[in-house]
């Protein structure tokens, strides 16, 4: 039986992938719910058949900390997948952006004689991150209603605070958080507590097709 370990940046990524994998799995598999166990440096088995584990490794520059662990996983017969944000050169001038990040990760594989299959979010060709995917998975009617009013709120904030603070609130990460907070409450707004496998999100959106194809092929599901 094929067994795999997926390295992700943080617990919030593990939560999302856990739900997406469950969405792709055949009937009869139970969704892994102990999301509080997604902590750095520990492999968590989320499914037994096929054997799928999630491992929080941190951002791309943290991979070098776990090269020995990756070698051990490979020796034990695990298929290693690395799913991270592509980011951009503004966010990470050293290795940000799809091309730079792929080059950096390939360099790590060569230097440490390790191997893993890579997928960079959002679609393995563009700069971006998990939030770029999430914005496409929101329920459009609800999100549009939220955003039109949220924009008015940010404009008002600028009147008595500052444009800097208003612009921060308009960043995609905070817009997604606000969307969740307004419609689903504080608990489910938290990235570690979100339940993507429900009617709050559209996991059948075509923007997920590249990631789904990668997962189904590499995990054998």
């Amino acid at each position: 039986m094929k067994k795999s370990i997926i390295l992700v940046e943080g617990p919030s990524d593990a939560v999302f992938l856990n739900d997406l994998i469950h969405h792709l799995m055949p009937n009869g598999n139970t969704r892994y719910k102990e999301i509080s166990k997604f902590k750095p440096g520990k492999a968590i088995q989320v499914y037994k058949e096929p054997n799928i584990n999630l491992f929080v490794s941190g951002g791309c520059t943290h991979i070098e900390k776990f090269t020995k662990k990756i070698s051990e996983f490979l020796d034990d017969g695990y298929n290693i997948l690395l799913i991270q944000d592509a980011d951009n050169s503004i966010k990470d001038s050293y290795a940000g952006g799809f091309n730079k990040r792929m080059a950096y990760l390939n360099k790590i594989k060569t230097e440490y004689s390790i191997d893993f299959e890579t997928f960079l979010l959002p679609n393995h060709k563009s700069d971006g991150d998990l939030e770029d995917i999430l914005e496409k998975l929101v329920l459009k009617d609800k999100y549009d209603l939220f955003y039109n009013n949220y924009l008015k709120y940010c404009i008002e904030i600028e009147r008595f605070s500052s444009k800097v603070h208003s612009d921060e609130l308009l960043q995609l990460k905070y817009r997604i958080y606000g969307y969740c907070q307004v419609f689903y409450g504080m608990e489910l707004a938290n990235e570690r507590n979100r339940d993507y496998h429900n009617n709050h999100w559209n996991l059948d959106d075509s923007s997920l097709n590249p990631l789904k194809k990668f997962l189904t092929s590499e995990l054998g599901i």
Side-chain angles (χ1 to χ4, degrees), residues 2 6 24 30 48 64 85 91 111 159 161 164 199 210:
K2 194 170 188 176
I6 308 173
L24 295 170
T30 303
K48 293 183 179 180
E64 290 183 79
D85 295 336
K91 188 173 182 180
E111 286 185 0
R159 292 177 185 271
S161 180
V164 171
N199 58 3

Side-chain angles (χ1 to χ4, degrees), residues 10 33-34 37 56 68 70 73 77 87 152 176 210 218:
K33 296 181 179 180
E34 296 182 73
K37 292 185 178 181
V56 176
K68 183 178 179 181
I70 292 173
F73 289 146
D87 284 332
K152 296 176 185 177
I176 297 296
E218 294 297 331

